[in-house]
């Protein structure tokens, strides 16, 4: 809407929204094999039972929402975050949930994708990509700042 401010979520905001109050690997528990999120089910997490691998994206809402009502936080497409990627950033941070504003060659990606194994789609998993790179397994989720 006109007059509203929109932006990508910080990495900390993204993870908070993904977890929706949980502490497990996924907002729905500790097991994923392609049945509860669009990932490569040939490489499950928390189980040895293989699952579906659709080899494509799906429409939003084909898998269940988390407790905040958000869909596809695990799998389907990686989501760009506002933070710049630094694998040592959190170890040296002096505050909780900092935003990395120091420009680097990569931005953070979260959530995994339809190509990812289940491990790569966990709430805590971090990925990266150069901002100019485009791929069929990357997308975004925008925040609307309320005033």
């Amino acid at each position: 809407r006109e007059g509203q401010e929109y932006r990508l979520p910080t990495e900390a905001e993204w993870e908070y929204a993904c977890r929706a109050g949980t502490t497990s690997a996924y907002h729905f528990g500790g097991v994923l094999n392609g049945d509860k999120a669009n990932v490569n089910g040939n490489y499950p997490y928390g189980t040895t039972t293989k699952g579906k691998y659709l080899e494509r994206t799906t429409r939003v809402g084909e898998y269940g929402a988390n407790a905040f009502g958000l869909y596809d936080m695990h799998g389907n497409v990686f989501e760009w975050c506002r933070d710049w990627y630094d694998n040592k950033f959190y170890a040296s941070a002096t505050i909780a949930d900092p935003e990395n504003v120091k420009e680097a060659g990569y931005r953070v990606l979260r959530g995994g994708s339809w190509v990812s194994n289940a491990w790569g789609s966990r709430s805590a998993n971090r990925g990266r990509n150069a901002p100019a790179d485009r791929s069929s397994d990357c997308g975004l989720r925008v925040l609307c700042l309320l005033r």
Side-chain angles (χ1 to χ4, degrees), residues 15-142:
E15 188 168 334
Y16 178 83
C18 177
R19 288 186 179 280
T22 66
T23 57
S24 55
Y26 309 97
H27 67 78
F28 47 76
V31 174
L32 178 59
N33 67 356
D35 61 336
K36 294 181 181 172
N38 185 17
V39 299
N40 185 341
N42 292 314
Y43 303 96
Y45 180 87
T47 182
T48 57
T49 304
K50 292 182 179 183
K52 296 186 286 186
Y53 178 36
L54 302 178
E55 300 183 54
R56 61 174 171 77
T57 58
T58 57
R59 291 182 188 265
V60 172
E62 289 191 26
Y63 296 89
N66 69 12
F68 291 168
L70 300 172
Y71 291 91
D72 298 320
M73 296 301 290
H74 304 287
N76 213 27
V77 294
F78 280 103
E79 296 182 9
W80 290 100
C81 289
R82 208 172 132 116
D83 299 64
W84 291 96
Y85 184 86
D86 177 348
N87 65 345
K88 298 176 185 172
F89 179 68
Y90 286 105
S92 62
T94 58
I95 61 169
D97 302 328
E99 178 183 354
N100 187 0
V101 296
K102 184 178 177 188
E103 191 168 334
Y106 300 98
R107 285 212 184 258
V108 173
L109 291 174
R110 298 296 297 262
S113 78
W114 61 271
V115 178
S116 302
N117 58 36
W119 183 88
S121 297
R122 295 170 301 117
S123 299
N125 192 59
R126 305 174 72 224
R128 66 184 182 151
N129 212 349
D133 288 351
R134 303 293 180 260
S135 175
S136 64
D137 68 338
C138 288
L140 56 98
R141 184 179 305 258
V142 295

